[in-house]
Amino acid sequence: MSILIYAESAEGKFKKVAFELASYAKKVAEALGSTVTAITFNTTDASELAKYGVDKVLKVNNPKLTSFTAKAYADAIQQAAKNENAKVVVLSSTTDSAYLSSLVAVSLDAGFASNVVGLPVSTSPFQVKRNAFSNKAFNITEITTEVKVLGLAKNSFGIVESSASLTEEDFLPTINDSDFGIKIESTEKASGKVSIADADIVVSGGRGLKGPENWGLIEDLAAVLGAATACSKPVSDLGWRPHGEHVGQTGKPVSANLYIAIGISGAIQHIAGINSSKVKVVINIDPEAPFFKVADYGIVGDAFEVVPKLIEKLKVFKAQ
């Protein structure tokens, strides 16, 4: 029996979330007296997973699976779970894995818990702690099925090194033509920038910046911090920034370690989409802005005065 994780990758290299899943699964495996197996798709080197506690890797190398296809990936994962007699399958909460989770759970007759934020509260019965109500509360969910599928919330556990002796096997799942009902014609990716999905730090701007010509303020701060840039819905609606940068309940959800909101008042939909971020910093000239009620740190001041000073201080700090 083992715990199975789907180690996400892009262009042959593992995403950071793969190491977080491995770290989490290792701790669960220790509690259950089990081992950790990872399934990978078209990766070049799987040995990196051994640093985070993975004992075995099932390597799927299939040109048909170069682009993510939920049904085909889900079929491969459920076949791997049955092959390894896995009783716990751990996926992330990325966009891709959100598509996968329900498909994998149904195919395995498994109970599924999304937005898991910690190690099992209990293994008998099997209970996990989850985010609920747009990250405003927690609940304890009990899974009673023989196989359990968990969706781990991003940045909820962290990356912990725990060396293991790794074995690698080629895995050849049965992939049917019916798995490719959706065809990907092309993929466009932003280059030279940190993606919102992978970022530990996100710097986000709102209408308080007064116009797209001032967006350099956001980009300069993000460059110093190695952060991704984002925006509020009104900013993308006005055409100041592309819709791909819109974060919030109606945009991309953010679970960063640090989220900096500049000139964003804090509409409830925006707060709901970023509320699982660990530390929230707000810079706004309006002391009554709703965002201050949920912020960990707040600066009441003009962004055009505060942010340049912050950038200079950060540069000095990094130089030291």
Side-chain angles (χ1 to χ4, degrees), residues 190-214:
S191 60
K193 293 183 178 181
V194 180
S195 72
I196 294 171
D198 297 329
D200 285 329
I201 304 173
V202 176
V203 178
S204 191
R207 280 183 295 185
L209 289 170
K210 300 180 181 178
E213 67 276 5
N214 297 318

Side-chain angles (χ1 to χ4, degrees), residues 53-316:
V54 174
D55 301 288
K56 181 178 180 180
V57 174
L58 300 179
K59 300 170 66 176
V60 179
N61 290 300
N62 187 327
K64 287 186 176 181
L65 300 175
T66 301
S67 296
F68 175 78
T69 304
K71 185 65 168 63
Y73 274 49
D75 278 354
I77 292 169
Q78 67 93 4
Q79 290 176 51
K82 290 179 178 178
N83 185 76
E84 297 299 305
N85 191 28
K87 300 305 180 186
V88 179
V89 179
V90 186
L91 305 170
S92 72
S93 294
T94 63
T95 302
D96 285 353
S97 286
Y99 281 111
L100 282 175
S101 301
S102 57
L103 295 172
V104 172
V106 168
S107 64
L108 292 172
D109 285 331
F112 169 52
S114 61
N115 299 316
V116 174
V117 294
L119 294 171
V121 176
S122 166
T123 56
S124 183
F126 196 92
Q127 297 176 329
V128 289
K129 183 179 180 180
R130 303 171 54 236
N131 278 328
F133 302 114
S134 298
N135 303 314
K136 293 185 180 69
F138 299 105
N139 70 24
I140 303 299
T141 297
E142 181 175 330
I143 307 176
T144 59
T145 52
E146 181 182 11
V147 180
K148 290 90 174 165
V149 176
L150 307 180
L152 185 67
K154 183 173 177 269
N155 286 329
S156 62
F157 186 76
I159 296 174
V160 181
E161 290 195 13
S162 178
S163 297
S165 179
L166 184 71
T167 60
E168 300 181 31
E169 292 182 10
D170 290 328
F171 185 61
L172 302 172
T174 301
I175 305 297
N176 300 313
D177 290 340
S178 59
D179 291 336
F180 298 91
I182 298 175
K183 183 180 179 182
I184 298 174
E185 296 287 349
S186 65
T187 303
E188 295 181 8
K189 295 183 179 179
S191 60
K193 293 183 178 181
V194 180
S195 72
I196 294 171
D198 297 329
D200 285 329
I201 304 173
V202 176
V203 178
S204 191
R207 280 183 295 185
L209 289 170
K210 300 180 181 178
E213 67 276 5
N214 297 318
W215 206 256
L217 207 62
I218 301 295
E219 293 175 333
D220 290 347
L221 179 57
V224 173
L225 293 170
T229 60
C231 68
S232 62
K233 185 176 187 296
V235 166
S236 63
D237 287 345
L238 288 166
W240 296 1
R241 300 301 298 169
H243 284 282
E245 291 188 10
H246 161 210
V247 298
Q249 193 173 37
T250 56
K252 290 183 177 179
V254 171
S255 297
N257 286 324
L258 173 62
Y259 182 80
I260 303 176
I262 301 172
I264 299 175
S265 61
I268 189 170
Q269 293 88 350
H270 189 91
I271 299 296
I274 62 88
N275 208 34
S276 60
S277 295
K278 290 186 177 178
V279 177
K280 296 175 279 294
V281 177
V282 178
I283 301 172
N284 201 301
I285 200 168
D286 178 11
E288 300 300 321
F291 223 135
F292 284 113
K293 295 180 181 179
V294 298
D296 297 286
Y297 301 95
I299 300 173
V300 178
D302 188 339
F304 296 100
E305 296 177 4
V306 173
V307 176
K309 291 179 181 179
L310 179 59
I311 291 171
E312 288 306 313
K313 291 289 185 181
L314 286 168
K315 285 181 178 178
V316 171

